[in-house]
């Protein structure tokens, strides 16, 4: 028996028995809401879901049930934009029936969500089409009470669009009022049972209001943001996020979400994640997220943004970004910041095989912004613009483009509390001030511009050296086991007295060098000459035997010119340990002898310092390619020992 729509089906009185009913559509034939039904005799249902089960209008001796298999189609429940609903549900905001034709499918989608058939690991299907609404999937219970452990949402690709309805008045814990998100997700069990959103588009723009952008997805619990820590463990696969204020917003900390080959395009933020504390207690960090593949572009503030809560009691960690392209974002590609205690509890960040390009400008944004983020590891990636504050980053086999420009024209801004270390580094253009290879670090005491950046290596891995050999001076430099050192005062490094004390710089450390209080030592012998512009590889090894512990960080050696205008780099000492520093630096023409200076960074030292200087070297190259190859070579590692 055939009927044009559901209304015609349910109007039968009495309903024929032992009959199959074919319905053309929910409102009209072909709208996707029709199907095949049978009559289940007995009694009418207390809670028909009006999509899979329907009561007849008059005949109460049974109910209609849809014959189906597979996912539940939201169109079965009337979620059809532009259709005319003869009995529209009331708008929860106004209490009045929804306007005609249908411009907001929220109540129809929620009817599908609350279906008994959807409970316990259900899958909801959005066929190709536009679905304006503010869809809430945070509730554990429907009507009546059916437990929901897992919810899967699927579409037909970018043509299945979940679109903002522009609803306002949504308040988060800090009191801010925002538009409702397009999709609110959460389920209430702490078991690691993943739910999935796949093959669908989420659009935060509202068609009838100019310049209004909603959030795309938020994670919440039982309708309240305060339970959001239990709302994670979602897998997004081939989801397209567009025109959102924040495409994905974790405003109260949760964990365990994955984004597989997702596209984030033209949002203010792609991911925005806050950690969460309550009553002075860190409740939930905002990490354990994975981004595998995918593409981010067009983000005005940041493509990926992680931050600690305002109290700094919960942090970030185990964030993995792998195989992703992040390009053409006016703001930051990745911006992460932690404050207060959260700086101590953040776990490692792993960025692998990521392509950064054309992010930021000279006034805003760039590739990486890290504030209070420790233990960031970046592998096999291409990037250009970095800003570090109280952070540490290690690069492995990466390429840094030095010709892209950044804020104020600077590729890299690193404060004195940060470090960046690189291994097997590659580059796009040269000469460049941003070549750092093997274990070269930067203390960030000044901007790392061409010709005035200061490389340092603090506690870098010790090179393979044979300490039974003498110090090694390679190329144009003196080679001697005996060095004469002059003692100087610390005030402006003016000469207090000169001595011709003889110190042997033996590789086996048989003779100590002694640095007395309120002095520094300057090598009498010239260890090299900056004769012309070029790329200079330098290295120095020391072992600190004894000093007053409180002043260990302030004891250092420097390879520098007599006039003080050229400094190749520093080595910092630590008691009972080898200190190894080496680097590669481009020097402009400045003919000047180079000596080694060993000193304290303070005028009041209660104890003398005793140490060994085992080897040092300076090697000049005329081009960056050869210099870079040398620093990565076995030849450099063994220091041409003889």
């Amino acid at each position: 028996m055939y009927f044009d729509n559901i209304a015609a089906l349910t109007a039968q009185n009495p309903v024929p028995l032992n009959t199959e009913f074919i319905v053309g559509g929910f409102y009209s034939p072909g709208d996707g809401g029709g199907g095949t039904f049978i009559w289940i005799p007995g009694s009418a249902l207390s809670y028909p879901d009006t999509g899979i089960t329907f009561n007849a209008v008059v005949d109460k001796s049974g109910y209609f049930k849809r014959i189906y298999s597979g996912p539940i189609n939201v169109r079965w429940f009337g979620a059809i934009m532009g259709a005319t609903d003869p009995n529209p549900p009331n708008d929860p905001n106004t209490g009045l029936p929804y306007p005609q034709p249908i411009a907001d499918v929220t109540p129809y989608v929620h009817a599908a969500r609350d279906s008994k058939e959807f409970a316990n690991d259900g899958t909801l299907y959005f066929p190709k089409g536009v679905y304006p609404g503010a869809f809430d999937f945070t509730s554990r219970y429907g009507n009546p009470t059916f437990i929901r452990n897992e919810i899967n949402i699927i579409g037909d690709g970018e043509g299945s669009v979940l679109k903002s309805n522009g609803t306002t008045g949504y308040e988060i814990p800090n009191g801010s009022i925002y538009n409702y998100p397009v999709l609110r997700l959460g389920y209430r069990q702490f078991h690691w049972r993943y739910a999935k959103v796949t093959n669908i588009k989420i659009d935060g723009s509202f068609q009838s209001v100019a310049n209004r952008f909603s959030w795309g997805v938020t994670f919440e619990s039982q309708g309240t943001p305060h339970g959001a820590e239990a709302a994670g463990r979602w897998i997004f696969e081939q989801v397209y996020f567009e025109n959102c204020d924040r495409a994905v917003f974790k405003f109260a900390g949760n964990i365990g979400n994955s984004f597989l080959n997702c596209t984030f395009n033209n949002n203010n933020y792609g991911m925005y994640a806050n950690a969460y504390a309550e009553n002075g207690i860190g409740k939930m960090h905002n990490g354990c997220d994975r981004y595998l593949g995918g593409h981010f572009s067009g983000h005005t503030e940041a493509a990926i943004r992680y931050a600690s809560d305002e109290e700094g009691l919960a942090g970030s960690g185990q964030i993995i970004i792998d195989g992703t392209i992040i390009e053409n974002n006016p703001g930051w590609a990745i911006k992460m910041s932690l404050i207060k205690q959260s700086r101590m509890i953040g776990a490692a960040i792993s960025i692998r095989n990521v392509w950064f390009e054309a992010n930021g400008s000279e006034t805003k944004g760039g590739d990486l912004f890290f504030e209070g983020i420790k233990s960031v590891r970046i592998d096999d990636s291409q990037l250009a613009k970095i800003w570090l504050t109280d952070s540490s980053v290690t690069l492995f086999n990466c390429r840094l483009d030095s010709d892209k420009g950044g804020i104020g024209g600077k590729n890299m801004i690193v404060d004195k509390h940060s470090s960046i270390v690189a291994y097997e580094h590659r580059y796009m253009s040269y000469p460049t001030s941003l070549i750092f290879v093997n274990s070269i670090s930067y203390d960030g005491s000044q901007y790392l511009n061409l010709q005035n950046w200061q490389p340092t290596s603090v506690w870098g891995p010790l090179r393979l050296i044979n300490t039974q050999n003498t110090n090694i001076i390679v190329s144009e430099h003196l080679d001697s086991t005996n060095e004469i050192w002059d003692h100087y005062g610390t005030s402006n490094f003016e000469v207090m007295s000169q001595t011709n004390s003889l110190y042997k710089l033996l590789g086996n450390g048989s003779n100590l060098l002694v640095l007395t209080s309120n002095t520094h030592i300057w090598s009498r012998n010239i260890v090299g000459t900056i004769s012309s512009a070029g790329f200079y590889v330098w290295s120095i090894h020391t072992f600190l035997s004894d000093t007053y512990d409180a002043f260990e960080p302030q004891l250092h050696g420097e390879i520098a010119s007599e006039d003080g205008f050229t400094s190749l780099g520093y080595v910092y000492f630590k008691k009972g340990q080898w200190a190894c520093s080496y680097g590669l630096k481009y020097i402009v023409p400045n003919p000047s002898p180079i000596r080694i200076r060993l000193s304290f960074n303070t005028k009041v030292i209660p104890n003398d310092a005793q140490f060994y200087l085992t080897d040092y070297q300076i090697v000049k190259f005329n081009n960056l390619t050869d210099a870079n190859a040398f620093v990565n070579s076995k030849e450099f590692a063994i220091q041409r020992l003889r």
Side-chain angles (χ1 to χ4, degrees):
M1 185 176 293
Y2 172 80
F3 298 92
D4 278 349
N5 51 48
I6 295 295
L9 172 70
T10 58
Q12 296 176 87
N13 184 35
V15 177
L17 300 178
N18 302 318
T19 301
E20 184 177 78
F21 305 96
I22 308 299
V23 180
F26 194 93
Y27 303 113
S28 59
D31 64 12
T36 302
F37 294 81
I38 59 173
W39 177 255
I40 306 296
S43 61
L45 293 174
S46 300
Y47 298 99
D49 63 22
T50 66
I52 296 172
T53 58
F54 296 87
N55 286 332
V57 175
V58 178
D59 189 343
K60 303 303 180 182
S61 64
Y63 63 94
F64 294 101
K65 183 173 183 179
R66 183 184 298 272
I67 305 302
Y68 78 98
S69 63
I72 293 175
N73 190 329
V74 296
R75 294 196 173 207
W76 297 346
F77 295 80
I80 303 166
M81 180 183 176
T84 300
D85 188 346
N87 299 295
N90 290 337
D91 185 330
N93 294 321
T94 65
L96 301 175
Y98 272 89
Q100 304 294 330
I102 296 172
D104 185 339
V105 301
T106 301
Y108 307 96
V109 171
H110 286 176
R113 172 201 68 188
D114 294 337
S115 168
K116 178 181 178 180
E117 304 293 331
F118 183 51
N120 296 319
D121 306 339
T123 297
L124 209 60
Y125 170 50
F126 289 81
K128 183 178 179 180
V130 178
Y131 301 88
F135 308 116
D136 183 355
F137 287 88
T138 66
S139 176
R140 179 176 179 178
Y141 301 107
N143 185 12
T145 300
F146 300 120
I147 296 177
R148 281 161 177 75
N149 293 323
E150 180 181 342
I151 298 169
N152 298 299
I153 299 171
I154 65 173
D156 282 332
E158 195 175 334
S160 297
V161 183
L162 306 187
K163 191 175 181 66
S164 171
N165 65 0
T167 306
T168 58
Y170 184 67
E171 183 176 355
I172 62 175
N174 67 8
S176 300
I177 305 297
Y178 288 92
N179 294 344
Y180 268 86
V182 177
L183 195 59
R184 299 166 67 188
L185 300 177
Y187 58 100
R188 276 24 55 216
Q189 294 193 11
F190 281 91
H191 307 299
W192 281 87
R193 304 175 67 175
Y194 287 97
K196 193 169 187 179
V197 180
T198 183
N199 218 28
I200 208 163
K201 180 177 180 179
I202 296 176
D203 187 346
S205 62
F206 183 49
Q207 56 188 357
S208 63
V209 180
N211 300 319
R212 176 180 289 178
F213 301 97
S214 296
W215 296 332
V217 172
T218 59
F219 299 95
E220 306 174 37
S221 249
Q222 295 182 321
T224 169
H226 297 282
E229 62 268 24
R233 299 174 292 279
W234 287 82
I235 298 173
F236 298 83
E237 184 173 4
Q238 291 182 242
V239 178
Y240 191 100
F241 299 90
E242 186 175 54
N243 301 326
C244 300
D245 175 50
R246 301 173 187 189
V248 180
F249 189 19
K250 301 199 301 182
F251 50 78
N254 70 62
I255 60 175
N257 304 293
S258 297
F259 299 86
L260 312 180
N261 294 321
C262 292
T263 299
F264 294 77
N265 185 54
N266 292 337
N267 308 289
N268 289 334
Y269 293 92
M271 161 64 83
Y272 193 111
N274 277 332
Y276 176 51
E278 189 176 73
N279 299 322
I281 300 174
K283 299 286 288 185
M284 179 60 70
H285 68 87
N286 60 16
C288 292
D289 292 333
R290 299 182 302 161
Y291 304 83
L292 304 181
H295 186 265
F296 291 80
S297 64
H299 293 86
T300 57
E301 298 298 327
I304 298 175
R305 171 80 167 108
Y306 282 79
S308 58
D309 64 286
E310 294 180 357
E311 297 180 80
L313 297 173
S316 301
Q318 200 183 1
I319 299 169
I320 299 172
I321 306 171
D322 194 342
T324 306
I325 297 175
I326 310 179
E327 62 181 355
N328 299 315
N329 295 283
W332 290 98
I334 300 176
K335 184 175 184 180
M336 298 183 183
S337 58
L338 299 178
I339 61 174
K340 300 179 181 178
Q341 292 172 262
S342 63
R343 294 190 173 189
M344 303 301 296
I345 61 178
I349 311 298
S350 177
I351 300 172
R352 303 186 297 231
N353 302 296
V354 176
W355 182 273
F356 298 90
E357 184 174 6
N359 298 302
S361 65
E362 289 195 3
T363 58
K364 177 183 178 181
D367 292 335
L368 302 176
F369 179 99
F370 292 126
E371 180 181 14
I373 307 294
K374 306 297 185 181
S375 301
V376 179
R377 173 168 176 150
I378 305 177
D379 292 76
D380 303 305
S381 299
Q382 183 271 345
L383 62 157
K385 307 166 189 176
I386 303 174
W387 188 319
L388 302 183
T389 302
D390 194 19
S391 299
S392 60
V393 174
T394 304
L395 305 175
F396 293 86
N397 197 32
C398 291
R399 190 185 96 180
L400 182 66
D401 290 355
S402 63
D403 60 345
K404 301 300 183 181
I407 296 178
K410 298 177 175 64
N411 275 71
M412 186 181 294
I413 298 176
V414 184
D415 79 341
K416 64 181 180 181
H417 301 296
S418 300
S419 68
I420 183 165
V421 181
Y423 295 82
E424 293 297 330
H425 176 69
R426 301 190 305 279
Y427 45 86
M428 180 65 176
S429 60
Y430 65 88
T432 173
S433 63
L434 296 174
I435 297 300
F436 34 101
V437 290
N438 287 343
S439 181
I440 309 305
S441 304
Y442 296 103
D443 65 5
S445 58
Q446 52 187 308
Y447 289 142
L448 306 184
N449 277 345
L450 182 64
Q451 302 168 12
N452 77 344
W453 50 278
Q454 182 63 62
T456 66
S457 182
V458 183
W459 322 132
L462 189 65
R463 293 195 311 273
L464 175 63
I465 63 170
N466 182 348
T467 57
Q468 298 303 312
N469 288 273
T470 59
N471 62 299
I472 303 301
I473 314 287
V474 180
S475 178
E476 305 178 33
H477 304 299
L478 199 64
D479 185 3
S480 173
T481 60
N482 298 324
E483 298 285 353
I484 298 177
W485 297 79
D486 291 334
H487 289 261
Y488 286 72
T490 58
S491 177
N492 298 321
F493 295 108
E494 294 177 355
V495 176
M496 289 180 60
S497 63
Q498 292 186 356
T499 65
N500 292 332
S501 300
L502 183 64
Y503 295 94
K504 286 188 176 182
L505 305 183
L506 297 181
N508 61 11
S510 61
N511 288 66
L512 287 173
L513 285 169
V514 178
L515 183 60
T516 58
S517 302
N518 300 312
T519 64
H520 72 279
I521 300 176
W522 192 285
S523 64
R524 175 73 62 86
N525 289 355
I526 296 171
V527 300
T529 300
I530 304 298
S531 58
S532 60
F535 295 88
Y536 287 81
V537 175
W538 58 273
S539 64
I540 183 171
H541 264 87
T542 61
F543 182 88
L544 181 59
S545 173
D546 190 26
T547 189
Y548 185 62
D549 290 346
F551 292 92
E552 288 172 9
Q554 301 181 47
L555 178 61
H556 68 269
E558 179 185 16
I559 302 179
S561 63
E562 289 182 336
D563 57 19
F565 290 107
T566 300
S567 176
L568 287 179
Y570 288 97
V571 57
Y572 288 86
F573 297 359
K574 189 171 184 179
K575 184 177 178 180
Q577 291 190 18
W578 289 100
C580 165
S581 184
Y582 47 100
L584 170 60
K585 184 171 184 179
Y586 181 78
I587 301 295
V588 297
N590 179 28
S592 178
I594 294 293
R595 302 183 189 276
I596 296 178
R597 179 171 62 194
L598 304 166
S599 64
F600 294 101
N601 286 344
T602 180
K603 297 180 182 179
V604 182
I605 302 297
N607 282 14
D608 298 342
Q610 299 177 356
F611 53 92
Y612 307 101
L613 178 60
T614 62
D615 72 79
Y616 55 89
Q617 72 166 342
I618 305 170
V619 185
K620 179 197 169 190
F621 294 91
N622 293 323
N623 64 79
L624 181 60
T625 303
D626 291 343
N628 196 43
F630 174 72
V631 177
N632 283 290
S633 68
K634 181 179 179 181
E635 180 184 21
F636 176 75
I638 65 175
Q639 295 292 286
R640 291 186 181 175
L641 293 171
R642 59 188 183 276

